[in-house]
Amino acid sequence: MKALCLSLLLATTLAASAALIESPQKGGLKLASLSSISFGPEGLLLVAEPATASILAIQTGDTGATKAVLKKTLADVGGAIADGLGAKKEDITVKDLAVNQASGRIYLAVQRRPDNAVIIVTVDAAGKVAPLNLDPLPWVRVTLPGGTTSKVTNITDVAFDKDRVFATGTCNEEFASRIFTIPVPIKNGATASVFSAETYHVAHRKWETKAPIQSFVPYQSKEGTFVVGAFACTPVAKFKVDDIQSGAQVKGVSMVELGSGNRPLDLFSYTDKSGKEWLVVHTQRFKQNAFGPSKMWGARISMDYLDAKTPEKTNENAARRDEKESKGPEGIEIVDALFGAVQVDKLSNTEAIVLRDTEGTLSLEVAALP
């Protein structure tokens, strides 16, 4: 009876999410590579697969009657993953992390050496680690276009936004930075619209077309729909993506500079208890530490900066973080909970899931947002 109820629940969930994908495939899905994962509604898992220059949308059926969140810190998640995959801990790399908002379950994109196999692993509320069984799950694949004579060389991030999916990456052309859009329902075998992205890098004081958006969030305002992305060295810029034709060039507006020598890893937005909206940028410092105990760190930025409309507050005049203090200028603050974080994703407006590196050992925990 329990098995029957679970089967009926999965069938109902998949039927409810059928509007999100079209012409789904079932079985036979083998992952060639993984660079980024994220969730849409109703347990829809989005996977960026650079090796095939494509985005996969997988109906996990993981919606859950009630949301169940990791109850306590999982002290050695790397060891648990390695044990489950028959590997050594040092041969496991976690490439990305995503929290399924529908269920609270955590998903990890994992690469195993020496065979370089890529696997998606789940962690439930009790801390149980298990590979995701793809065999029974419906899925679709969308190929990202390169250009007339080019090809996609990398996919850096992917995210769901109401009636479409966004992805970012690079192509082997002079205007290499790309933003892709895929309409919903996501149709198997379809392709995407593509835009070239040009960004003013505040630290370098020049416009650049090759540096990719490392991580991004879709953003809605009275002005329209934007992709807000962060780049290495580390400008945060917005790109308006309404009413533009595929193949067009999109010029971004840089609002904030977090400091040179950093590479963004994750972005998310949240609303604090007072109702104020923040953008969180999780990043890795690849130069000598200028602030804090770890090369892995994060900052939150007031969403007010995204609404800057005058040239006096953007691009070469963008706000610069005070690299020697935990706060400053107003509306830009270090997030202490992100020191040592390897991967992070928003769980709610009060908490995030953090994969933390402590002297070479990975732990998985729920961290409070300021």
Side-chain angles (χ1 to χ4, degrees):
M1 182 61 69
K2 184 177 180 180
L4 176 61
C5 290
L6 288 173
S7 297
L8 290 173
L9 177 61
L10 177 61
T12 302
T13 300
L14 295 181
S17 59
L20 298 175
I21 66 174
E22 186 178 329
S23 305
Q25 311 296 295
K26 197 168 184 179
L29 176 58
K30 304 294 183 183
L31 298 176
S33 65
L34 286 170
S35 61
S36 179
I37 58 173
S38 65
F39 272 93
E42 300 172 14
L44 185 70
L45 177 63
L46 301 175
V47 178
E49 191 179 59
T52 61
S54 62
I55 300 296
L56 292 160
I58 304 170
Q59 288 182 338
T60 65
D62 178 23
T63 55
T66 58
K67 193 171 181 177
V69 179
L70 187 67
K71 295 176 182 177
K72 62 180 182 179
T73 298
L74 187 54
D76 185 9
V77 67
I81 294 170
D83 290 344
L85 298 180
K88 298 177 181 178
K89 186 165 66 173
E90 59 267 26
D91 289 336
I92 294 297
T93 301
V94 179
K95 300 180 71 66
D96 201 11
L97 174 156
V99 181
N100 183 357
Q101 296 287 330
S103 67
R105 193 179 303 268
I106 301 164
Y107 287 64
L108 303 172
V110 173
Q111 183 173 23
R112 179 184 64 196
R113 293 181 298 274
D115 61 350
N116 289 324
V118 288
I119 306 104
I120 297 173
V121 172
T122 66
V123 183
D124 67 12
K128 182 181 178 181
V129 178
L132 177 65
N133 181 11
L134 297 174
D135 289 340
L137 304 180
W139 57 274
V140 296
R141 183 191 299 275
V142 174
T143 302
L144 303 182
T148 54
T149 60
S150 68
K151 64 178 182 178
V152 175
T153 55
N154 193 22
I155 307 171
T156 54
D157 205 0
V158 60
F160 192 96
D161 183 49
K162 295 182 179 179
D163 60 351
R164 53 188 160 180
V165 170
F166 289 107
T168 53
T170 52
C171 292
N172 60 340
E173 290 185 336
E174 180 181 353
F175 284 79
S177 181
R178 293 288 199 267
I179 299 172
F180 305 92
T181 65
I182 303 167
V184 174
I186 309 164
K187 184 177 181 180
N188 187 63
T191 189
S193 297
V194 57
F195 317 112
S196 299
E198 186 174 6
T199 310
Y200 187 84
H201 279 238
V202 183
H204 305 166
R205 293 191 178 276
K206 65 177 181 178
W207 288 93
E208 296 185 9
T209 60
K210 293 185 179 296
I213 298 172
Q214 297 285 350
S215 189
F216 73 90
V217 292
Y219 174 65
Q220 309 284 338
S221 76
K222 293 179 181 179
E223 298 178 61
T225 301
F226 294 83
V227 165
V228 175
F231 298 73
C233 285
T234 314
V236 178
K238 65 179 182 181
F239 301 82
K240 191 172 184 181
V241 290
D242 288 330
D243 304 321
I244 55 176
Q245 298 296 315
S246 183
Q249 183 179 340
V250 184
K251 204 160 189 173
V253 179
S254 295
M255 296 87 59
V256 172
E257 169 59 50
L258 294 178
S260 63
N262 295 288
R263 183 173 71 90
L265 300 173
D266 301 290
L267 261 73
F268 64 87
S269 60
Y270 78 102
T271 304
D272 70 16
K273 294 178 182 178
S274 72
K276 185 173 179 58
E277 292 184 298
W278 298 90
L279 176 69
V280 175
V281 183
H282 166 228
T283 187
Q284 176 183 5
R285 185 177 293 112
F286 52 82
K287 291 173 64 176
Q288 184 177 0
N289 282 5
F291 183 88
S294 171
K295 66 179 181 180
M296 317 299 291
W297 63 283
R300 66 175 186 170
I301 301 164
S302 170
M303 283 294 197
D304 293 342
Y305 281 103
L306 300 190
D307 295 326
K309 298 179 178 65
T310 61
E312 291 78 15
K313 295 183 179 180
T314 61
N315 295 333
E316 64 268 22
N317 298 313
R320 290 173 176 261
R321 181 180 69 88
D322 187 337
E323 297 184 25
K324 297 182 180 180
E325 300 292 338
S326 61
K327 296 182 179 181
E330 183 178 357
I332 302 177
E333 305 172 356
I334 293 292
V335 178
D336 290 339
L338 296 185
F339 280 122
V342 178
Q343 302 287 344
V344 62
D345 195 21
K346 174 185 171 181
L347 176 62
S348 67
N349 280 326
T350 59
E351 295 176 318
I353 298 295
V354 174
L355 181 69
R356 197 181 308 279
D357 186 334
T358 304
E359 297 181 354
T361 298
L362 295 177
S363 62
L364 196 61
E365 63 185 77
V366 179
L369 293 171

